[in-house]
Amino acid sequence: MQDRLHILEDLNMLYIRQMALSLEDTELQRKLDHEIRMREGACKLLAACSQREQALEATKSLLVCNSRILSYMGELQRRKEAQVLGKTGQRPSESSSPADRSPCRGRVCISDLRIPLMWKDTEYFKNKGDLHRWAVFLLLQLGEDIQDTETILVDRTLTDISFQNSILFTEAGPDFELRLELYGAYMEEEGALAAAPKRLATKLSSSLGRSSGKRVRASLENAGGSGTSPILLPTPTMGGPRYHLLAHTTLTLAAVQDGFRTHDLTLVSHEENPAWLPLYGSVCCRLVAQPLCLTQPTASGSLRVQQARELQDWAQVYGVLKGTNLFCYRHHEDADSGEEPLFTIEINKETRVRAGELDQAAGRPFTLSISNQYGEDKVTHTLQTESRGALQNWMEALWQLFFDMSQWKQCCDEIMRIETPAPRKPPQALAKQGSLYHEMAIEPLDDIAAVTDILAQREGVRLETPPPWLAMFTDQPAALPNPCSPTVAPALARTQPLPWGRPRTFSLDAVPPDHSPGASCLVAPLPPQRSPRSRGFCNKGPPHTWLQSPV
Amino acid sequence: MSYIPGQPVTAVVQRVEIHKLRQGENLILGFSIGGGIDQDPSQNPFSEDKTDKGIYVTRISEGGPAEIAGLQIGDKIMQVNGWDMTMVTHDQARKRLTKRSEEVVRLLVTRQSLQKAVQQSMLS
């Protein structure tokens, strides 16, 4: 069965590739190829990795790749259909009505995502029972674009799941639908049951207690496809941790606001599911949108502006229509150099624009007038363009702006701030929850002799024997204070653990170092009045010895 | 032979090639060393500069391989088989000399008499 699924998957990939090729859509094809390669890499990594954290990350990237492939596949099918329809002569009506405009694109950014959890009293406050841990991440889809957040480890000490990074979608229309899905995988402490062969596992599950048996059985069954059409493809063939869909929601333009808002989550999984998390049922986030019409200039050109009231006073300016303002600069170059404009005409939903013949003086064609209502007053600016074509352009741009404003609604009131999401850091090694001893490092690593030398220096042992270089004159190798002695003796004399912050094993200190090559290693016993307390354990200090070694 | 940290060290050196002598299970060279960056340089009787933490020859066994090769007491060892000995701990120095796999060690040593000899020859 598994082999068949494998073959089917491969066939799928082949078919998708061929479709992409035939469409000659290089952009989509390139993206698809990239995702397929990533998917293969993730499969290999999953098969090869041994650590649980690696397996989690690999599974997650596999699922994300799958979902992206699925969406590209859908897009390809649509385009193929359109192509086929086009070929068979079914064309859409040629004449598009003048009001048939498409609104401008925009950038949508979602950040500061936070999902509150609802633990039982006993679990959270009293910390009873085993510490269950889950790995969760969010998958966000807008149109074709699928992005994921980092993986967060959740246990009952957390009150909310907070995602640090922000996700930016660049090609969004005002009718966008941002689908948000929360996936979780239960991290078993043992980890053995997931990998056990099926028959053994069913035997185990039937012989375990009721609740754990249910859990095991649920984790073994194929749990793909819970809920309405999740984004992810089920992956029954892969071993390793299984991600389940926990909750989802869809956000649209109505949810956009320059501030935090809470939205409802549709909870999908139920308690039987091993990855079930006690979600409160809502998600808080900051969803902002920046339509392009606000951030990029839509029209520009030279104009002659008649100041209100003065019929004869025409000023030559360079106008730039950007966002809700028409900036009039003195010169063309000023617009780019960041100079302040001469004046600015505001254009908002209340502005009235009229082309034509208002206050038409002889020989002054191609004018348009912009009127704004400020309280009681009505201020009108009359602008004259160079030619009929220019007038058309300006009118077109203004109509487009009005249309965009009506479509993007609250986003056009003010430019919402979008921070460039920082480049995603590589997934950090998830911290192991072990004892402090795991983090200890003994340097140098496994050189017992060197370690005991360090011990000797730290203690600053002073020998009550004649200075070493005197032996040179007496020429008696036996009288040389052997470098072994300062290191072995303190070890033997020590009866309590060292008071410097690191726990050490006694065996390390007790083994006499065996490093002298030829000359006899005289173990000079320390005089008994030396007590451990007299040594300064924790201060290194300058070296007091000038050791000699025979070679 | 004093050195300024950060500046390259120059010295007049002599090559000494010592063939180790097998004594039972061990290979010995027949001299003793003292010094090291983890040692107290003020106790060094041979160094001209009492802050010099280099490795010095403190004793030569009579008739041993080192004496035969021409090593002298008070020599400062700069290199052993290409490995630097000017910035090593005492134990690292000892280890570099007593590797069981090497039967011959080629040392670069410097001594004050060498330095003086060169200076005199340059003057004359």
Side-chain angles (χ1 to χ4, degrees):
Chain A
M1 178 61 186
Q2 291 210 351
D3 295 331
R4 274 221 227 140
L5 278 169
H6 238 304
I7 295 174
L8 278 175
E9 276 180 23
D10 280 343
L11 276 179
N12 271 340
M13 293 301 145
L14 195 60
Y15 173 63
I16 293 166
R17 273 208 178 101
Q18 285 194 328
M19 249 207 321
L21 262 169
S22 73
L23 267 179
E24 288 170 28
D25 191 338
T26 47
E27 177 65 33
L28 202 55
Q29 187 185 337
R30 194 176 51 80
K31 283 200 274 195
L32 203 52
D33 269 343
H34 178 254
E35 289 305 321
I36 292 178
R37 257 180 283 128
M38 293 271 289
R39 184 178 185 273
E40 283 164 7
C43 289
K44 286 196 193 109
L45 183 61
L46 192 57
C49 66
S50 54
Q51 286 191 2
R52 194 175 54 190
E53 288 81 13
Q54 282 178 347
L56 275 175
E57 280 302 313
T59 314
K60 181 182 138 196
S61 22
L62 182 64
L63 295 181
V64 173
C65 289
N66 277 344
S67 60
R68 286 195 179 128
I69 291 174
L70 193 62
S71 81
Y72 292 151
M73 203 162 71
E75 178 64 23
L76 271 180
Q77 280 186 335
R78 276 192 292 275
R79 295 195 194 178
K80 192 77 180 170
E81 270 180 29
Q83 208 187 49
V84 164
L85 285 175
K87 280 195 183 141
T88 57
Q90 286 178 348
R91 294 180 204 285
S93 57
E94 289 284 348
S95 57
S96 47
S97 51
D100 189 17
R101 292 172 188 280
S102 58
C104 68
R105 302 286 97 182
R107 304 197 314 159
V108 172
C109 178
I110 185 167
S111 61
D112 306 296
L113 287 150
R114 187 170 61 87
I115 300 177
L117 298 166
M118 189 173 62
W119 301 102
K120 287 209 274 275
D121 280 3
T122 48
E123 285 183 14
Y124 182 69
F125 290 107
K126 295 187 190 152
N127 221 9
K128 267 182 11 181
D130 304 320
L131 190 71
H132 299 291
R133 292 167 88 215
W134 292 263
V136 297
F137 71 94
L138 273 177
L139 202 64
L140 301 119
Q141 180 179 23
L142 196 150
E144 271 177 22
D145 204 354
I146 294 180
Q147 301 199 32
D148 60 324
T149 59
E150 78 260 24
T151 313
I152 305 250
L153 286 182
V154 176
D155 56 41
R156 65 161 172 266
T157 60
L158 280 181
T159 52
D160 330 53
I161 310 173
S162 302
F163 294 97
Q164 297 302 322
N165 47 11
S166 57
I167 311 270
L168 179 68
F169 296 97
T170 45
E171 291 290 314
D175 53 349
F176 70 86
E177 277 195 4
L178 177 57
R179 192 172 159 83
L180 201 145
E181 294 189 348
L182 180 69
Y183 286 89
Y186 180 64
M187 295 177 43
E188 307 108 2
E189 293 309 313
E190 300 84 26
L193 285 175
K198 206 147 171 92
R199 223 195 299 168
L200 176 63
T202 44
K203 264 204 187 147
L204 279 173
S205 67
S206 55
S207 58
L208 288 168
R210 216 165 140 253
S211 55
S212 39
K214 252 196 264 176
R215 198 182 280 266
V216 166
R217 226 178 294 124
S219 68
L220 287 175
E221 280 164 24
N222 190 348
S226 53
T228 57
S229 60
I231 305 175
L232 297 192
L233 276 174
T235 51
T237 50
M238 296 302 148
R242 183 92 39 84
Y243 277 101
H244 301 271
L245 176 62
L246 297 176
H248 66 89
T249 185
T250 309
L251 300 170
T252 58
L253 191 66
V256 172
Q257 187 186 312
D258 195 1
F260 293 97
R261 279 184 72 172
T262 308
H263 311 276
D264 286 325
L265 271 180
T266 317
L267 300 179
V268 166
S269 65
H270 47 137
E271 269 202 61
E272 305 267 312
N273 195 317
W276 178 81
L277 262 181
L279 297 167
Y280 189 71
S282 53
V283 56
C284 311
C285 63
R286 180 174 173 263
L287 181 64
V288 294
Q290 252 185 21
L292 283 175
C293 61
L294 281 189
T295 51
Q296 289 180 4
T298 43
S300 54
S302 61
L303 296 167
R304 288 165 63 105
V305 182
Q306 180 195 44
Q307 309 290 74
R309 313 259 182 272
E310 292 292 322
L311 274 151
Q312 303 308 316
D313 189 4
W314 292 87
Q316 182 81 30
V317 293
Y318 184 76
V320 174
L321 179 65
K322 185 162 135 180
T324 52
N325 294 308
L326 175 61
F327 299 104
C328 297
Y329 296 92
R330 191 186 294 277
H331 303 294
H332 183 134
E333 302 75 40
D334 289 349
D336 303 321
S337 62
E339 290 266 329
E340 287 296 313
L342 269 181
F343 54 89
T344 308
I345 305 174
E346 202 182 300
I347 303 187
N348 52 35
K349 294 186 203 97
E350 326 293 312
T351 311
R352 304 270 169 268
V353 175
R354 255 203 302 202
E357 325 304 313
L358 198 67
D359 290 343
Q360 203 50 247
R364 294 199 196 279
F366 319 131
T367 56
L368 60 96
S369 67
I370 301 174
S371 327
N372 277 316
Q373 191 93 21
Y374 296 111
E376 290 292 318
D377 303 320
K378 184 172 166 192
V379 178
T380 305
H381 297 270
T382 310
L383 305 137
Q384 184 188 34
T385 58
E386 289 159 357
S387 64
R388 189 174 293 281
L391 180 64
Q392 289 279 37
N393 280 342
W394 280 100
M395 291 308 294
E396 175 65 28
L398 286 167
W399 290 132
Q400 179 70 37
L401 181 64
F402 284 130
F403 183 70
D404 288 339
M405 287 203 290
S406 70
Q407 293 294 302
W408 283 99
K409 302 195 185 109
Q410 75 268 28
C411 308
C412 291
D413 293 336
E414 220 179 70
I415 298 187
M416 296 182 189
R417 191 175 45 92
I418 287 185
E419 284 151 2
T420 11
R424 176 106 68 93
K425 294 176 209 131
Q428 289 157 351
L430 307 174
K432 251 184 164 55
Q433 249 190 7
S435 67
L436 199 61
Y437 291 84
H438 290 289
E439 299 169 28
M440 227 173 52
I442 301 179
E443 355 94 11
L445 277 173
D446 38 23
D447 193 350
I448 290 180
V451 169
T452 47
D453 283 348
I454 292 174
L455 284 177
Q457 273 133 43
R458 286 216 171 152
E459 295 159 19
V461 166
R462 287 207 176 278
L463 295 177
E464 287 166 5
T465 46
W469 47 268
L470 264 186
M472 189 175 68
F473 300 111
T474 59
D475 200 19
Q476 280 168 31
L480 270 180
N482 208 285
C484 300
S485 55
T487 58
V488 174
L492 297 177
R494 198 174 302 118
T495 50
Q496 61 229 14
L498 307 170
W500 70 54
R502 280 204 228 150
R504 278 187 186 270
T505 55
F506 288 139
S507 57
L508 208 64
D509 304 328
V511 171
D514 179 27
H515 61 212
S516 63
S520 53
C521 180
L522 290 178
V523 181
L526 274 183
Q529 65 266 23
R530 187 182 306 282
S531 61
R533 264 184 295 276
S534 64
R535 299 179 204 131
F537 285 140
C538 293
N539 38 336
K540 228 173 181 172
H544 299 293
T545 53
W546 201 73
L547 297 172
Q548 291 181 45
S549 322
V551 289
Chain B
M1 286 193 281
S2 56
Y3 90 107
I4 304 159
Q7 299 298 314
V9 174
T10 49
V12 182
V13 292
Q14 166 147 4
R15 281 184 218 275
V16 176
E17 189 175 293
I18 307 181
H19 297 257
K20 294 189 189 176
L21 180 68
R22 189 166 285 281
Q23 212 181 62
E25 232 189 58
N26 305 303
L27 285 168
I28 62 161
L29 289 138
F31 66 99
S32 294
I33 52 165
I37 53 178
D38 55 341
Q39 305 293 314
D40 181 12
S42 57
Q43 298 179 37
N44 187 341
F46 306 106
S47 55
E48 199 181 89
D49 169 18
K50 290 304 168 192
T51 59
D52 184 1
K53 293 189 170 180
I55 306 291
Y56 282 80
V57 176
T58 57
R59 193 184 65 82
I60 305 254
S61 329
E62 265 191 34
E67 196 184 33
I68 297 170
L71 199 63
Q72 294 178 19
I73 259 185
D75 285 354
K76 176 175 169 182
I77 306 180
M78 308 294 278
Q79 276 184 18
V80 171
N81 281 349
W83 293 99
D84 169 65
M85 296 288 261
T86 58
M87 275 287 141
V88 289
T89 64
H90 185 87
D91 203 55
Q92 281 171 348
R94 189 190 51 77
K95 281 195 183 135
R96 290 207 184 133
L97 285 162
T98 54
K99 287 200 156 85
R100 281 169 183 264
S101 53
E102 293 169 354
E103 291 214 359
V104 179
V105 286
R106 291 178 179 86
L107 312 181
L108 283 183
V109 302
T110 185
R111 50 182 87 107
Q112 293 170 26
S113 52
L114 270 181
Q115 197 84 4
K116 290 202 185 87
V118 168
Q119 277 173 355
Q120 278 176 356
S121 64
M122 275 171 31
L123 286 171
S124 61

